[in-house]
Amino acid sequence: EKLMYNRYSKKKSSSKDTLNVEGAVQSKPNNGKYCARKVEYKGLKFASSMEFYYYLFLLDLKEKGEVIDIELQPVFVLQEKFRYKDKAIREIKYISDFKVTYSDGSVIIFDVKGQATPEFKLKWKMVKFLHQDMDFRCIKSVGRKPYTWEIVNV
């Protein structure tokens, strides 16, 4: 299933990584496995430019009245903290990218992914098992530039 066109695009210049959105600052390239570049925009921090562009897409939907609320990085506890043989074991959390409330009352939890890591796949299964009453969707952009979005199976 493909979602709508996003009016924002990357600036056509000598630097292909420059964002074409006023106030958006992109970090230097990450030497990590997936080379995601963090973006800061109006005090909000995004893990990647793809996540940032999806946020802009959601803002467009909000402007049109299709979306009522956009919550960033909602947290879901998968396992509470506990003690094991006098050692504290931290809780296990899944932090999604967006919780979106639509004008029809429906709520969808979105995670924007370029690559699904093994850790993400495990947490994704756990959160869907623990919250079967909620609608979770993993999405990615189609092509190299995030113009069109599609739901992917993880």
Side-chain angles (χ1 to χ4, degrees):
E1 177 183 349
K2 292 192 178 166
L3 305 174
M4 292 183 235
Y5 172 79
N6 186 344
R7 69 178 172 171
Y8 298 96
S9 64
K10 290 191 176 185
K11 187 183 286 185
K12 290 177 174 54
S13 68
S14 58
S15 174
K16 68 179 182 176
D17 295 323
T18 305
L19 297 173
N20 189 23
V21 179
E22 186 177 331
V25 179
Q26 194 169 31
S27 68
K28 293 185 178 182
N30 178 347
N31 291 331
K33 188 174 182 179
Y34 301 106
C35 299
R37 296 177 72 177
K38 296 182 189 293
V39 175
E40 188 170 335
Y41 176 68
K42 295 185 179 182
L44 302 173
K45 295 181 180 180
F46 300 92
S48 68
S49 59
M50 190 184 309
E51 184 180 321
F52 168 66
Y53 280 115
Y54 194 71
Y55 176 70
L56 295 178
F57 170 72
L58 292 173
L59 287 179
D60 281 345
L61 294 181
K62 189 172 183 179
E63 197 175 284
K64 294 175 186 174
E66 296 177 38
V67 166
I68 295 172
D69 186 53
I70 304 165
E71 181 183 337
L72 278 69
Q73 299 185 330
V75 176
F76 298 89
V77 176
L78 302 176
Q79 179 180 295
E80 299 288 338
K81 66 181 180 179
F82 65 97
R83 295 194 73 74
Y84 179 74
K85 296 185 180 182
D86 289 332
K87 183 177 179 182
I89 307 296
R90 295 187 323 197
E91 69 183 2
I92 299 173
K93 304 186 276 191
Y94 164 69
I95 302 172
S96 184
D97 292 328
F98 306 102
K99 179 180 178 183
V100 181
T101 305
Y102 289 89
S103 56
D104 66 359
S106 63
V107 177
I108 300 176
I109 311 299
F110 287 104
D111 210 299
V112 180
K113 286 286 178 232
Q115 289 284 336
T117 64
E119 180 183 7
F120 170 76
K121 289 178 181 180
L122 178 62
K123 287 183 176 184
W124 187 246
K125 287 179 186 176
M126 291 174 72
V127 76
K128 290 194 297 185
F129 175 76
L130 293 171
H131 300 280
Q132 294 182 31
D133 58 325
M134 300 180 84
D135 189 353
F136 290 90
R137 297 187 189 181
C138 185
I139 57 168
K140 71 174 189 169
S141 67
V142 177
R144 292 190 64 83
K145 293 183 182 176
Y147 297 118
T148 306
W149 304 94
E150 74 179 0
I151 298 169
V152 293
N153 292 322
V154 178

